[in-house]
């Protein structure tokens, strides 16, 4: 009973080139993905009515976009040597 909210960040490493790293941040509510940030696209994309509204608001805020893009550097590129050694 109740509601389930989940935010998940994934770093996708397609090559050893640091430019090939992709960050995906997904926001899920009750098992439905509502909005996603994809570093390749460079913005949020909404998949539900609520997600589209959030994506529009977040994409219009340069600070939020800069913070999300910073996660690519801070998390994904920082951990790339570990991912490449596996």
């Amino acid at each position: 009973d109740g509601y389930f909210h989940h935010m998940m960040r994934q770093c996708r490493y397609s090559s050893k080139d640091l430019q090939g790293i992709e960050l995906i941040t997904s926001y899920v509510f009750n098992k439905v993905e509502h909005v996603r940030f994809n570093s390749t696209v460079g913005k949020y994309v909404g998949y539900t009515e609520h997600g589209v509204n959030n994506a529009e608001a977040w994409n219009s805020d340069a600070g939020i976009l800069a913070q999300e893009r910073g996660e690519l550097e801070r998390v994904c590129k920082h951990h790339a040597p570990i991912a490449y050694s596996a």
Side-chain angles (χ1 to χ4, degrees), residues 8-52:
M8 180 175 67
R9 276 204 173 96
Q10 302 174 53
C11 298
R12 295 184 179 172
Y13 302 94
S14 59
S15 69
K16 294 207 179 236
D17 177 14
L18 290 180
Q19 299 305 318
I21 299 173
E22 180 180 44
L23 170 71
I24 307 252
T25 305
S26 299
Y27 295 86
V28 177
F29 183 72
N30 283 350
K31 300 182 183 179
V32 176
E33 183 177 21
H34 289 270
V35 67
R36 173 188 293 182
F37 176 85
N38 182 316
S39 64
T40 303
V41 176
K43 65 179 185 175
Y44 290 93
V45 176
Y47 297 106
T48 64
E49 182 179 347
H50 181 68
V52 169

